Protein backbone atom coordinates (compact mmCIF):
# COMPACT_ATOMS: atom_id res chain seq x y z
CA UNK A 1 0.00 0.00 0.00
CA UNK A 2 1.35 3.41 -0.99
CA UNK A 3 0.43 6.88 0.10
CA UNK A 4 2.15 9.86 -1.50
CA UNK A 5 5.04 7.66 -2.58
CA UNK A 6 5.53 6.09 0.82
CA UNK A 7 4.52 2.65 2.08
CA UNK A 8 1.83 2.53 4.72
CA UNK A 9 2.88 -0.61 6.61
CA UNK A 10 1.40 -1.93 9.80
CA UNK A 11 3.36 -4.33 11.94
CA UNK A 12 5.70 -4.76 14.87
CA UNK A 13 9.07 -3.13 14.31
CA UNK A 14 12.04 -5.35 15.16
CA UNK A 15 13.96 -2.38 16.53
CA UNK A 16 11.08 -1.39 18.82
CA UNK A 17 10.62 -4.97 19.94
CA UNK A 18 14.36 -5.30 20.53
CA UNK A 19 14.52 -2.12 22.61
CA UNK A 20 11.46 -3.18 24.63
CA UNK A 21 12.88 -6.64 25.33
CA UNK A 22 16.29 -5.25 26.25
CA UNK A 23 14.70 -2.71 28.59
CA UNK A 24 12.46 -5.31 30.24
CA UNK A 25 15.35 -7.77 30.59
CA UNK A 26 17.61 -5.04 32.00
CA UNK A 27 14.99 -4.08 34.58
CA UNK A 28 14.50 -7.70 35.59
CA UNK A 29 18.24 -8.29 35.83
CA UNK A 30 18.65 -5.19 38.01
CA UNK A 31 15.81 -6.38 40.25
CA UNK A 32 17.37 -9.85 40.43
CA UNK A 33 20.77 -8.42 41.31
CA UNK A 34 19.12 -6.21 43.95
CA UNK A 35 17.32 -9.25 45.37
CA UNK A 36 20.48 -11.32 45.28
CA UNK A 37 22.24 -8.61 47.24
CA UNK A 38 19.47 -8.58 49.84
CA UNK A 39 19.54 -12.37 50.04
CA UNK A 40 23.26 -12.22 50.78
CA UNK A 41 22.60 -9.54 53.43
CA UNK A 42 19.87 -11.60 55.09
CA UNK A 43 22.02 -14.71 54.90
CA UNK A 44 24.87 -12.82 56.54
CA UNK A 45 22.50 -11.68 59.28
CA UNK A 46 21.33 -15.25 59.75
CA UNK A 47 24.92 -16.46 59.94
CA UNK A 48 25.86 -13.56 62.19
CA UNK A 49 23.06 -14.43 64.60
CA UNK A 50 24.43 -17.97 64.93
CA UNK A 51 27.96 -16.69 65.34
CA UNK A 52 26.77 -14.20 67.96
CA UNK A 53 25.12 -16.96 69.94
CA UNK A 54 28.28 -19.07 69.83
CA UNK A 55 30.26 -16.07 70.94
CA UNK A 56 27.87 -15.36 73.82
CA UNK A 57 27.92 -18.99 74.81
CA UNK A 58 31.69 -18.94 74.80
CA UNK A 59 31.83 -15.78 76.94
CA UNK A 60 29.31 -17.22 79.44
CA UNK A 61 31.37 -20.38 79.65
CA UNK A 62 34.47 -18.25 80.30
CA UNK A 63 32.76 -16.54 83.24
CA UNK A 64 31.60 -19.85 84.67
CA UNK A 65 34.93 -21.62 84.07
CA UNK A 66 36.90 -18.75 85.56
CA UNK A 67 34.65 -18.74 88.65
CA UNK A 68 34.95 -22.51 89.00
CA UNK A 69 38.72 -22.25 88.54
CA UNK A 70 38.98 -19.75 91.37
CA UNK A 71 36.83 -21.99 93.54
CA UNK A 72 38.97 -25.03 92.79
CA UNK A 73 42.22 -23.18 93.53
CA UNK A 74 41.02 -21.69 96.82
CA UNK A 75 39.61 -25.01 97.99
CA UNK A 76 42.81 -26.83 97.09
CA UNK A 77 44.79 -24.18 98.95
CA UNK A 78 42.64 -24.44 102.08
CA UNK A 79 42.91 -28.22 102.02
CA UNK A 80 46.57 -28.66 101.10
CA UNK A 81 47.86 -25.20 102.09
CA UNK A 82 50.28 -25.46 99.18
CA UNK A 83 51.30 -21.96 97.93
CA UNK A 84 51.06 -22.86 94.21
CA UNK A 85 47.30 -22.97 94.45
CA UNK A 86 47.26 -19.46 95.88
CA UNK A 87 49.53 -18.37 93.03
CA UNK A 88 47.26 -20.00 90.47
CA UNK A 89 44.26 -18.29 92.06
CA UNK A 90 45.74 -14.80 91.84
CA UNK A 91 47.12 -15.46 88.36
CA UNK A 92 43.54 -16.00 87.20
CA UNK A 93 42.30 -13.02 89.19
CA UNK A 94 44.96 -10.51 88.17
CA UNK A 95 46.54 -11.83 84.95
CA UNK A 96 44.23 -14.11 83.01
CA UNK A 97 41.06 -12.27 84.03
CA UNK A 98 38.73 -14.39 81.94
CA UNK A 99 35.61 -13.15 83.68
CA UNK A 100 36.35 -9.50 83.03
CA UNK A 101 37.45 -10.17 79.44
CA UNK A 102 34.21 -12.02 78.74
CA UNK A 103 32.15 -9.07 79.92
CA UNK A 104 34.33 -6.60 78.04
CA UNK A 105 33.80 -8.66 74.92
CA UNK A 106 30.03 -8.48 75.42
CA UNK A 107 29.78 -4.87 76.57
CA UNK A 108 27.94 -2.75 73.98
CA UNK A 109 27.19 -5.90 72.03
CA UNK A 110 23.73 -6.28 70.45
CA UNK A 111 22.70 -9.20 72.59
CA UNK A 112 20.07 -7.35 74.58
CA UNK A 113 20.59 -5.38 77.84
CA UNK A 114 18.66 -7.95 79.89
CA UNK A 115 20.93 -10.79 78.84
CA UNK A 116 24.01 -8.72 79.62
CA UNK A 117 22.67 -7.89 83.09
CA UNK A 118 22.45 -11.60 83.89
CA UNK A 119 26.13 -12.01 83.16
CA UNK A 120 26.98 -8.92 85.19
CA UNK A 121 25.08 -10.41 88.13
CA UNK A 122 27.07 -13.61 87.70
CA UNK A 123 30.27 -11.55 87.87
CA UNK A 124 28.99 -9.75 90.97
CA UNK A 125 28.22 -13.11 92.59
CA UNK A 126 31.70 -14.31 91.69
CA UNK A 127 33.24 -11.17 93.20
CA UNK A 128 31.25 -11.75 96.41
CA UNK A 129 32.74 -15.21 96.64
CA UNK A 130 36.17 -13.77 95.95
CA UNK A 131 36.00 -11.72 99.14
CA UNK A 132 35.31 -14.87 101.13
CA UNK A 133 37.98 -16.78 99.27
CA UNK A 134 40.68 -14.15 99.88
CA UNK A 135 39.67 -13.91 103.55
CA UNK A 136 39.87 -17.73 103.82
CA UNK A 137 43.37 -17.60 102.30
CA UNK A 138 44.26 -14.91 104.84
CA UNK A 139 43.16 -17.25 107.65
CA UNK A 140 45.32 -20.06 106.26
CA UNK A 141 48.31 -17.71 105.99
CA UNK A 142 47.77 -16.62 109.61
CA UNK A 143 47.43 -20.24 110.74
CA UNK A 144 50.75 -20.99 109.03
CA UNK A 145 52.27 -17.83 110.46
CA UNK A 146 53.65 -17.02 106.99
CA UNK A 147 55.61 -13.92 106.14
CA UNK A 148 53.01 -11.52 104.72
CA UNK A 149 55.50 -9.83 102.42
CA UNK A 150 55.77 -13.03 100.39
CA UNK A 151 52.01 -13.17 99.84
CA UNK A 152 49.90 -11.43 97.21
CA UNK A 153 48.87 -7.88 98.07
CA UNK A 154 45.19 -8.87 98.40
CA UNK A 155 46.07 -11.39 101.13
CA UNK A 156 48.35 -8.90 102.83
CA UNK A 157 45.44 -6.47 102.97
CA UNK A 158 43.15 -8.95 104.76
CA UNK A 159 42.21 -7.77 108.26
CA UNK A 160 41.06 -10.66 110.43
CA UNK A 161 38.13 -10.25 112.69
CA UNK A 162 39.00 -10.12 116.39
CA UNK A 163 37.27 -13.39 117.08
CA UNK A 164 39.27 -15.05 114.30
CA UNK A 165 42.54 -13.65 115.60
CA UNK A 166 41.91 -15.33 118.96
CA UNK A 167 41.52 -18.75 117.27
CA UNK A 168 44.23 -21.34 117.26
CA UNK A 169 45.86 -22.46 114.00
CA UNK A 170 43.73 -25.56 113.61
CA UNK A 171 40.52 -23.66 114.23
CA UNK A 172 41.61 -21.02 111.71
CA UNK A 173 42.15 -23.73 109.12
CA UNK A 174 38.76 -25.27 109.82
CA UNK A 175 37.06 -21.88 109.61
CA UNK A 176 38.81 -21.15 106.30
CA UNK A 177 37.69 -24.48 104.85
CA UNK A 178 34.12 -23.96 106.04
CA UNK A 179 34.04 -20.57 104.30
CA UNK A 180 34.70 -22.18 100.89
CA UNK A 181 32.76 -25.40 101.40
CA UNK A 182 29.67 -24.43 103.41
CA UNK A 183 26.09 -24.06 102.12
CA UNK A 184 26.34 -20.27 101.89
CA UNK A 185 29.25 -20.60 99.49
CA UNK A 186 27.35 -23.17 97.41
CA UNK A 187 24.29 -20.94 97.28
CA UNK A 188 26.32 -18.14 95.75
CA UNK A 189 27.91 -20.62 93.33
CA UNK A 190 24.42 -21.74 92.35
CA UNK A 191 23.48 -18.09 91.73
CA UNK A 192 26.46 -17.78 89.39
CA UNK A 193 25.36 -20.86 87.46
CA UNK A 194 21.74 -19.68 87.36
CA UNK A 195 22.65 -16.23 86.08
CA UNK A 196 24.86 -17.66 83.36
CA UNK A 197 22.01 -20.03 82.43
CA UNK A 198 19.57 -17.11 82.34
CA UNK A 199 22.03 -15.25 80.18
CA UNK A 200 22.31 -18.14 77.72
CA UNK A 201 18.52 -18.64 77.60
CA UNK A 202 17.97 -14.95 76.92
CA UNK A 203 20.66 -14.98 74.23
CA UNK A 204 19.15 -18.11 72.70
CA UNK A 205 15.71 -16.50 72.58
CA UNK A 206 17.16 -13.33 71.07
CA UNK A 207 19.10 -15.39 68.53
CA UNK A 208 16.01 -17.39 67.64
CA UNK A 209 14.05 -14.19 67.03
CA UNK A 210 16.82 -12.83 64.80
CA UNK A 211 17.08 -16.08 62.88
CA UNK A 212 13.30 -16.33 62.47
CA UNK A 213 13.06 -12.73 61.22
CA UNK A 214 15.94 -13.17 58.82
CA UNK A 215 14.56 -16.52 57.62
CA UNK A 216 11.13 -15.03 56.91
CA UNK A 217 12.64 -12.09 55.02
CA UNK A 218 14.95 -14.46 53.16
CA UNK A 219 12.02 -16.67 52.22
CA UNK A 220 10.02 -13.65 51.03
CA UNK A 221 12.87 -12.31 48.89
CA UNK A 222 13.56 -15.74 47.41
CA UNK A 223 9.87 -16.02 46.52
CA UNK A 224 10.06 -12.66 44.75
CA UNK A 225 13.22 -13.80 43.04
CA UNK A 226 11.46 -16.92 41.76
CA UNK A 227 8.69 -14.72 40.36
CA UNK A 228 11.26 -12.51 38.58
CA UNK A 229 13.00 -15.58 37.16
CA UNK A 230 9.63 -16.89 35.93
CA UNK A 231 8.86 -13.53 34.31
CA UNK A 232 12.30 -13.53 32.71
CA UNK A 233 11.66 -17.04 31.38
CA UNK A 234 8.28 -15.94 29.97
CA UNK A 235 9.95 -12.88 28.43
CA UNK A 236 12.61 -15.06 26.79
CA UNK A 237 9.89 -17.41 25.52
CA UNK A 238 7.93 -14.49 24.05
CA UNK A 239 11.12 -13.19 22.44
CA UNK A 240 11.80 -16.63 20.94
CA UNK A 241 8.24 -16.86 19.59
CA UNK A 242 8.42 -13.34 18.13
CA UNK A 243 11.76 -14.08 16.49
CA UNK A 244 10.31 -17.26 14.93
CA UNK A 245 7.10 -15.48 13.86
CA UNK A 246 8.49 -12.14 12.73
CA UNK A 247 11.95 -13.10 11.41
CA UNK A 248 12.65 -16.81 10.83
CA UNK A 249 9.31 -17.77 9.28
CA UNK A 250 9.19 -14.74 6.91
CA UNK A 251 12.75 -15.51 5.81
CA UNK A 252 11.71 -19.06 4.92
CA UNK A 253 8.70 -17.72 3.01
CA UNK A 254 10.87 -15.20 1.14
CA UNK A 255 13.43 -17.85 0.21
CA UNK A 256 10.69 -20.04 -1.25
CA UNK A 257 9.20 -17.09 -3.16
CA UNK A 258 12.60 -16.21 -4.62
CA UNK A 259 13.23 -19.83 -5.60
CA UNK A 260 9.84 -19.90 -7.34
CA UNK A 261 10.61 -16.54 -9.01
CA UNK A 262 7.48 -14.84 -7.75
CA UNK A 263 6.70 -11.77 -5.69
CA UNK A 264 7.20 -11.96 -1.93
CA UNK A 265 4.31 -12.51 0.45
CA UNK A 266 3.69 -9.61 2.85
CA UNK A 267 4.53 -11.23 6.20
CA UNK A 268 6.55 -10.77 9.35
CA UNK A 269 7.65 -7.61 11.11
CA UNK A 270 7.36 -4.04 9.87
CA UNK A 271 10.84 -4.19 8.36
CA UNK A 272 10.15 -7.44 6.50
CA UNK A 273 6.84 -6.16 5.19
CA UNK A 274 8.51 -2.98 4.00
CA UNK A 275 11.27 -5.05 2.41
CA UNK A 276 8.71 -7.27 0.68
CA UNK A 277 6.82 -4.28 -0.71
CA UNK A 278 10.04 -2.71 -1.96
CA UNK A 279 11.18 -6.00 -3.50
CA UNK A 280 7.80 -6.48 -5.16
CA UNK A 281 7.96 -2.99 -6.66
CA UNK A 282 11.41 -3.71 -8.03
CA UNK A 283 10.19 -7.09 -9.22
CA UNK A 284 7.30 -5.45 -11.06
CA UNK A 285 9.56 -2.79 -12.55
CA UNK A 286 12.06 -5.40 -13.68
CA UNK A 287 9.29 -7.54 -15.12
CA UNK A 288 7.86 -4.52 -16.92
CA UNK A 289 11.28 -3.54 -18.20
CA UNK A 290 11.86 -7.04 -19.43
CA UNK A 291 8.58 -6.96 -21.31
CA UNK A 292 9.33 -3.53 -22.68
CA UNK A 293 12.78 -4.59 -23.82
CA UNK A 294 11.31 -7.61 -25.51
CA UNK A 295 8.70 -5.46 -27.17
CA UNK A 296 11.30 -2.98 -28.33
CA UNK A 297 13.18 -5.85 -29.89
CA UNK A 298 10.12 -6.40 -32.07
CA UNK A 299 10.97 -3.39 -34.20
CA UNK A 300 9.90 -2.37 -37.65
CA UNK A 301 12.68 -3.49 -40.05
CA UNK A 302 12.38 -0.37 -42.23
CA UNK A 303 12.18 2.47 -39.71
CA UNK A 304 13.73 0.88 -36.62
CA UNK A 305 10.77 1.78 -34.38
CA UNK A 306 8.49 -0.81 -32.78
CA UNK A 307 5.93 -2.49 -34.96
CA UNK A 308 2.17 -2.85 -34.71
CA UNK A 309 2.33 -6.09 -32.74
CA UNK A 310 4.64 -4.55 -30.13
CA UNK A 311 2.38 -1.49 -30.05
CA UNK A 312 -0.63 -3.66 -29.20
CA UNK A 313 1.27 -5.44 -26.45
CA UNK A 314 2.40 -2.09 -25.05
CA UNK A 315 -1.22 -0.97 -24.94
CA UNK A 316 -2.17 -4.05 -22.91
CA UNK A 317 0.77 -3.62 -20.57
CA UNK A 318 -0.04 0.03 -19.88
CA UNK A 319 -3.66 -0.76 -19.09
CA UNK A 320 -2.49 -1.96 -15.66
CA UNK A 321 -0.47 1.19 -15.05
CA UNK A 322 -1.66 3.89 -12.66
CA UNK A 323 0.43 6.61 -14.37
CA UNK A 324 -0.99 9.13 -16.84
CA UNK A 325 -0.51 8.29 -20.54
CA UNK A 326 -0.96 10.16 -23.80
CA UNK A 327 -1.27 8.72 -27.31
CA UNK A 328 -0.34 10.44 -30.57
CA UNK A 329 -1.47 8.99 -33.92
CA UNK A 330 0.53 10.40 -36.83
CA UNK A 331 -0.11 10.27 -40.58
CA UNK A 332 2.29 11.32 -43.33
CA UNK A 333 0.19 13.70 -45.42
CA UNK A 334 -0.43 12.59 -49.02
CA UNK A 335 2.15 9.81 -48.76
CA UNK A 336 0.56 7.99 -51.67
CA UNK A 337 1.48 10.93 -53.92
CA UNK A 338 5.13 10.59 -52.80
CA UNK A 339 5.16 6.91 -53.69
CA UNK A 340 3.44 7.50 -56.99
CA UNK A 341 5.51 10.55 -57.97
CA UNK A 342 8.96 9.63 -56.64
CA UNK A 343 8.84 5.87 -56.30
CA UNK A 344 8.79 3.48 -53.42
CA UNK A 345 12.49 3.92 -52.71
CA UNK A 346 12.00 7.62 -51.98
CA UNK A 347 8.87 6.71 -50.05
CA UNK A 348 10.88 4.37 -47.87
CA UNK A 349 13.48 7.05 -47.26
CA UNK A 350 10.70 9.47 -46.28
CA UNK A 351 9.37 6.90 -43.77
CA UNK A 352 12.84 6.36 -42.28
CA UNK A 353 13.44 10.11 -42.06
CA UNK A 354 10.03 10.68 -40.45
CA UNK A 355 10.56 7.89 -37.89
CA UNK A 356 14.01 9.27 -37.03
CA UNK A 357 12.77 12.86 -36.59
CA UNK A 358 9.82 11.73 -34.45
CA UNK A 359 12.07 9.56 -32.27
CA UNK A 360 14.51 12.45 -31.78
CA UNK A 361 11.74 14.91 -30.98
CA UNK A 362 10.20 12.89 -28.17
CA UNK A 363 11.70 11.63 -24.91
CA UNK A 364 13.82 8.52 -24.70
CA UNK A 365 11.21 6.97 -22.41
CA UNK A 366 8.40 7.49 -24.96
CA UNK A 367 7.53 4.72 -27.40
CA UNK A 368 7.43 5.45 -31.14
CA UNK A 369 5.72 2.80 -33.28
CA UNK A 370 4.92 2.29 -36.93
CA UNK A 371 1.38 0.97 -36.90
CA UNK A 372 0.66 1.11 -40.61
CA UNK A 373 2.18 1.93 -44.00
CA UNK A 374 2.54 5.66 -43.42
CA UNK A 375 0.96 5.74 -39.97
CA UNK A 376 2.93 6.17 -36.78
CA UNK A 377 2.02 6.34 -33.09
CA UNK A 378 3.72 7.74 -30.03
CA UNK A 379 2.89 6.55 -26.51
CA UNK A 380 4.04 9.08 -23.94
CA UNK A 381 4.17 7.74 -20.37
CA UNK A 382 3.80 10.06 -17.36
CA UNK A 383 2.30 12.63 -19.65
CA UNK A 384 -0.66 14.81 -18.60
CA UNK A 385 -2.74 17.45 -20.38
CA UNK A 386 -0.39 20.08 -18.94
CA UNK A 387 2.15 18.93 -21.55
CA UNK A 388 -0.15 19.84 -24.44
CA UNK A 389 1.86 23.00 -25.35
CA UNK A 390 5.06 20.96 -25.34
CA UNK A 391 3.57 18.37 -27.68
CA UNK A 392 2.21 21.10 -29.93
CA UNK A 393 5.66 22.68 -30.11
CA UNK A 394 7.27 19.34 -30.96
CA UNK A 395 4.82 18.69 -33.79
CA UNK A 396 5.31 22.19 -35.19
CA UNK A 397 9.10 21.76 -35.12
CA UNK A 398 8.84 18.39 -36.86
CA UNK A 399 6.65 19.86 -39.62
CA UNK A 400 9.01 22.79 -40.12
CA UNK A 401 11.92 20.37 -40.47
CA UNK A 402 10.05 18.14 -42.93
CA UNK A 403 8.88 21.09 -45.01
CA UNK A 404 12.36 22.51 -45.29
CA UNK A 405 14.44 19.50 -46.34
CA UNK A 406 18.20 19.74 -46.82
CA UNK A 407 18.74 16.15 -47.94
CA UNK A 408 17.19 16.33 -51.39
CA UNK A 409 14.01 14.52 -50.36
CA UNK A 410 10.64 16.07 -51.17
CA UNK A 411 8.72 18.18 -48.70
CA UNK A 412 6.20 16.42 -46.52
CA UNK A 413 4.05 17.21 -43.47
CA UNK A 414 2.44 15.31 -40.64
CA UNK A 415 -1.04 15.27 -39.22
CA UNK A 416 -1.21 14.41 -35.54
CA UNK A 417 -4.17 13.48 -33.33
CA UNK A 418 -3.55 13.34 -29.58
CA UNK A 419 -5.52 12.11 -26.57
CA UNK A 420 -4.78 11.84 -22.83
CA UNK A 421 -5.56 9.26 -20.17
CA UNK A 422 -5.15 10.06 -16.49
CA UNK A 423 -4.53 6.44 -15.57
CA UNK A 424 -3.00 3.91 -17.90
CA UNK A 425 -3.96 3.08 -21.45
CA UNK A 426 -7.76 3.14 -21.52
CA UNK A 427 -9.77 1.17 -24.05
CA UNK A 428 -11.01 4.25 -25.93
CA UNK A 429 -7.74 6.19 -25.88
CA UNK A 430 -6.89 5.04 -29.42
CA UNK A 431 -10.34 6.00 -30.70
CA UNK A 432 -10.05 9.47 -29.15
CA UNK A 433 -6.64 10.04 -30.76
CA UNK A 434 -7.98 8.76 -34.10
CA UNK A 435 -10.94 11.16 -33.93
CA UNK A 436 -8.51 14.00 -33.16
CA UNK A 437 -6.46 12.99 -36.22
CA UNK A 438 -9.59 13.09 -38.32
CA UNK A 439 -10.15 16.67 -37.12
CA UNK A 440 -6.68 17.67 -38.36
CA UNK A 441 -7.33 16.13 -41.78
CA UNK A 442 -10.64 17.94 -42.01
CA UNK A 443 -8.83 21.23 -41.37
CA UNK A 444 -6.22 20.92 -44.08
CA UNK A 445 -3.67 18.57 -42.49
CA UNK A 446 -0.15 19.60 -41.36
CA UNK A 447 -0.95 20.19 -37.74
CA UNK A 448 -1.89 18.76 -34.39
CA UNK A 449 -5.27 18.47 -32.69
CA UNK A 450 -5.96 17.38 -29.08
CA UNK A 451 -9.08 15.41 -28.37
CA UNK A 452 -11.69 17.41 -26.50
CA UNK A 453 -14.91 15.89 -25.16
CA UNK A 454 -16.72 19.17 -25.81
CA UNK A 455 -15.73 19.52 -29.46
Amino acid sequence: MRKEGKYQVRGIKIRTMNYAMILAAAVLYVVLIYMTYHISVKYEKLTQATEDYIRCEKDAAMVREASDHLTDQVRLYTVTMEPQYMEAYFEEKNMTRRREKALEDLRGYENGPEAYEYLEKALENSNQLMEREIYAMGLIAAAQNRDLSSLPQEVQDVVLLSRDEEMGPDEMVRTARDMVFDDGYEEVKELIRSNTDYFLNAVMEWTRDRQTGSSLELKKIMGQQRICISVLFILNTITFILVITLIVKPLQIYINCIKQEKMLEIAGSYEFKYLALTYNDIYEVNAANEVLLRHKAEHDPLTGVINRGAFEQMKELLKASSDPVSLLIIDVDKFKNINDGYGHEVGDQILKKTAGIISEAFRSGDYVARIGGDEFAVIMVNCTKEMQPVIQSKVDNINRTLQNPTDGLPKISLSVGAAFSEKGFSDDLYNKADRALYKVKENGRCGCYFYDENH
Side-chain angles (χ1 to χ4, degrees):
M1 182 187 302
R2 282 179 178 265
K3 184 178 181 182
E4 296 180 358
K6 294 183 179 180
Y7 296 114
Q8 299 297 310
V9 182
R10 293 183 180 180
I12 299 174
K13 292 186 177 182
I14 295 176
R15 181 174 63 181
T16 303
M17 180 189 74
N18 190 40
Y19 288 159
M21 292 301 178
I22 290 174
L23 179 61
V27 170
L28 284 174
Y29 278 124
V30 169
V31 172
L32 283 172
I33 291 172
Y34 177 79
M35 288 181 175
T36 302
Y37 168 75
H38 273 272
I39 287 174
S40 65
V41 170
K42 298 304 177 185
Y43 178 77
E44 287 177 3
K45 286 185 177 181
L46 192 63
T47 304
Q48 188 63 43
T50 304
E51 292 177 353
D52 292 345
Y53 175 75
I54 294 171
R55 181 178 173 184
C56 291
E57 188 177 41
K58 181 179 178 182
D59 289 334
M62 285 177 62
V63 172
R64 182 179 292 182
E65 289 173 4
S67 178
D68 290 342
H69 179 74
L70 292 173
T71 297
D72 292 341
Q73 299 308 311
V74 73
R75 283 177 171 177
L76 286 171
Y77 179 69
T78 58
V79 172
T80 64
M81 294 182 287
E82 294 291 335
Q84 66 266 25
Y85 296 115
M86 181 188 293
E87 293 172 2
Y89 180 94
F90 284 104
E91 182 181 357
E92 173 63 39
K93 177 183 178 298
N94 298 323
M95 302 296 293
T96 308
R97 301 178 70 249
R98 283 183 289 176
R99 300 173 307 159
E100 292 80 0
K101 289 180 179 179
L103 261 71
E104 288 175 3
D105 184 53
L106 293 171
R107 186 172 289 113
Y109 188 60
E110 294 183 2
N111 56 0
E114 184 179 356
Y116 185 76
E117 288 174 3
Y118 285 131
L119 209 58
E120 282 186 327
K121 289 179 181 179
L123 181 60
E124 290 175 5
N125 298 144
S126 181
N127 288 335
Q128 291 175 11
L129 287 181
M130 188 175 289
E131 293 177 2
R132 298 185 67 171
E133 291 162 352
I134 293 175
Y135 190 86
M137 285 187 282
L139 282 173
I140 295 296
Q144 291 180 316
N145 196 23
R146 292 186 59 181
D147 180 12
L148 292 178
S149 62
S150 63
L151 300 177
Q153 187 63 45
E154 291 87 341
V155 178
Q156 293 180 34
D157 293 339
V158 171
V159 178
L160 297 179
L161 298 174
S162 58
R163 70 170 185 273
D164 293 335
E165 287 181 343
E166 296 174 357
M167 294 179 184
D170 292 340
E171 192 174 359
M172 286 184 178
V173 171
R174 281 195 301 274
T175 301
R177 290 174 181 171
D178 289 341
M179 289 182 70
V180 296
F181 282 99
D182 63 7
D183 293 339
Y185 188 90
E186 287 299 328
E187 287 177 3
V188 178
K189 289 291 292 182
E190 184 60 31
L191 283 175
I192 295 172
R193 285 190 287 270
S194 298
N195 282 322
T196 53
D197 288 340
Y198 290 149
F199 169 76
L200 289 175
N201 290 335
V203 169
M204 184 178 294
E205 188 66 26
W206 168 74
T207 302
R208 187 182 297 111
D209 291 342
R210 288 177 65 191
Q211 290 177 332
T212 301
S214 296
S215 296
L216 290 175
E217 291 181 9
L218 190 62
K219 184 178 180 181
K220 179 181 177 181
I221 295 173
M222 291 182 71
Q224 294 172 346
Q225 190 180 47
R226 284 192 292 270
I227 292 174
C228 286
I229 292 173
S230 300
V231 173
L232 188 60
F233 173 77
I234 293 172
L235 183 65
N236 289 335
T237 302
I238 292 173
T239 303
F240 177 77
I241 293 172
L242 289 176
V243 168
I244 293 295
T245 305
L246 300 178
I247 300 176
V248 177
K249 188 175 179 180
L251 280 175
Q252 293 174 340
I253 293 174
Y254 291 176
I255 290 172
N256 291 332
C257 289
I258 292 172
K259 286 181 178 179
Q260 296 171 17
E261 297 184 354
K262 65 180 185 179
M263 292 194 296
L264 303 182
E265 296 181 21
I266 310 302
S269 67
Y270 169 87
E271 290 84 354
F272 278 92
K273 290 178 179 178
Y274 198 96
L275 176 65
L277 288 170
T278 304
Y279 175 88
N280 290 344
D281 274 357
I282 296 173
Y283 183 92
E284 288 179 343
V285 170
N286 287 340
N289 288 338
E290 184 179 346
V291 172
L292 293 176
L293 289 173
R294 186 173 61 251
H295 288 175
K296 286 183 177 181
E298 299 173 356
H299 59 280
D300 176 62
L302 176 64
T303 62
V305 297
I306 60 176
N307 57 25
R308 181 62 182 254
F311 173 78
E312 295 297 331
Q313 291 181 14
M314 185 64 63
K315 285 168 50 180
E316 294 301 319
L317 180 65
L318 290 175
K319 284 181 179 181
S321 174
S322 58
D323 297 325
V325 175
S326 68
L327 173 64
L328 280 63
I329 298 179
I330 304 170
D331 268 359
V332 178
D333 295 331
K334 299 179 180 181
F335 181 72
K336 185 176 184 301
N337 295 337
I338 298 294
N339 271 338
D340 293 342
Y342 295 92
H344 289 286
E345 183 176 350
V346 173
D348 289 344
Q349 291 179 4
I350 290 292
L351 292 175
K352 289 180 182 180
K353 176 181 178 180
T354 301
I357 292 175
I358 294 173
S359 298
E360 290 177 0
F362 288 89
R363 300 170 302 181
S364 60
D366 297 331
Y367 302 99
V368 179
R370 183 185 179 195
I371 58 176
D374 61 341
E375 190 176 17
F376 294 88
V378 178
I379 298 175
M380 300 180 68
V381 295
N382 293 316
C383 179
T384 62
K385 290 182 178 180
E386 285 73 18
M387 292 185 66
Q388 183 173 315
V390 176
I391 296 173
Q392 181 68 59
S393 175
K394 290 179 182 292
V395 172
D396 292 341
N397 289 335
I398 292 172
N399 275 326
R400 276 195 296 271
T401 302
L402 292 175
Q403 288 180 343
N404 297 281
T406 59
D407 52 4
L409 292 175
K411 297 179 181 180
I412 61 170
S413 64
L414 302 180
S415 295
V416 180
F420 297 92
S421 172
E422 294 181 356
K423 185 177 180 181
F425 203 108
S426 60
D427 290 333
D428 61 344
L429 183 62
Y430 185 92
N431 293 331
K432 290 179 179 179
D434 192 57
R435 286 198 289 272
L437 176 62
Y438 184 77
K439 286 280 186 181
V440 178
K441 291 182 178 180
E442 280 185 335
N443 289 281
R445 295 184 173 85
C446 189
C448 179
Y449 184 84
F450 297 91
Y451 177 81
D452 189 351
E453 296 282 355
N454 300 319
H455 293 85

